[in-house]
Amino acid sequence: MFAVVMGVSGSGKSTLGRALAAELDVVFVDADDLHPPHNVEKMAAGTPLTDEDRWPWLDLVGQEGRAMVEGVGGVVVACSALRRSYRDVLRLHGATHFIHLIGDRQVLQHRLEQRTTHWMGAGMLDSQMATLQTPADDERDVLTVRADGDPGQLALSASSWIVEGIPD
């Protein structure tokens, strides 16, 4: 099982990802840890990534996810996966479930402003929201949940959705 918790910065991907991985008893990987230094430097400086920056990173995220599935049986990855084409790259590597966190811009902005230990600044939220392609109805492998919910409850709901299978 290869699940991706996706959404813009500040939506709580890492928080939910850790809780979901614990609930499913699988490994958690934060895709931010896989960015090459060049990407981190750009984002820390407030410069949005280009697709050329993202493709190798997304491929690495997919490779790491697939390796975790093959090695230990499952993984939950926190990854923005903002565009359908980015999600498709992860699908090529075996991603089978996406949990899309959505939230009010003001709440996300506040979260980012309160964060002190991450290089992704609050100034990047607008570019992330502009890049986001809301999952389409035909992306049946995506569960959309509110980012302002209790992480434990969200993890239980997402776990049930994963275990019970994606409805037809």
Side-chain angles (χ1 to χ4, degrees):
M1 185 279 311
F2 181 169
V4 178
V5 178
M6 60 167 283
V8 298
S9 189
S11 62
K13 295 180 298 291
S14 297
T15 300
L16 177 57
R18 284 185 189 91
L20 181 57
E23 183 67 30
L24 294 168
D25 195 26
V26 297
V27 174
F28 171 74
V29 173
D30 193 325
D32 282 347
D33 295 337
L34 301 175
H35 273 293
H38 170 75
N39 286 8
V40 173
E41 290 166 10
K42 280 183 83 169
M43 290 183 286
T47 304
L49 297 180
T50 65
D51 281 351
E52 290 72 29
D53 297 320
R54 286 186 180 101
W55 296 128
W57 168 69
L58 286 164
D59 193 48
L60 179 59
V61 171
Q63 290 172 30
E64 287 292 315
R66 184 177 49 220
M68 291 295 108
V69 170
E70 292 170 358
V72 296
V75 65
V76 173
V77 176
C79 178
S80 53
L82 297 174
R83 293 189 181 273
R84 183 182 189 137
S85 57
Y86 306 164
R87 295 186 291 275
D88 287 343
V89 168
L90 298 174
R91 287 178 179 114
L92 288 173
H93 287 284
T96 56
H97 299 84
F98 292 82
I99 296 87
H100 178 209
L101 285 164
I102 60 170
D104 297 326
R105 189 196 182 291
Q106 297 85 352
V107 171
L108 301 173
Q109 182 76 29
H110 178 73
R111 287 180 179 179
L112 291 171
E113 289 169 353
Q114 299 305 307
R115 227 168 36 174
T116 59
T117 60
H118 197 280
W119 36 262
M120 179 70 123
M124 297 293 290
L125 182 58
D126 287 336
S127 72
Q128 289 228 319
M129 293 187 89
T131 301
L132 176 65
Q133 290 177 334
T134 301
D137 290 342
D138 68 332
E139 289 184 85
R140 311 260 319 140
D141 57 354
V142 180
L143 173 69
T144 299
V145 298
R146 296 279 315 161
D148 53 5
D150 173 78
Q153 279 303 119
L154 292 175
L156 283 172
S157 296
S159 174
S160 293
W161 176 72
I162 290 169
V163 170
E164 292 171 13
I166 300 166
D168 293 327

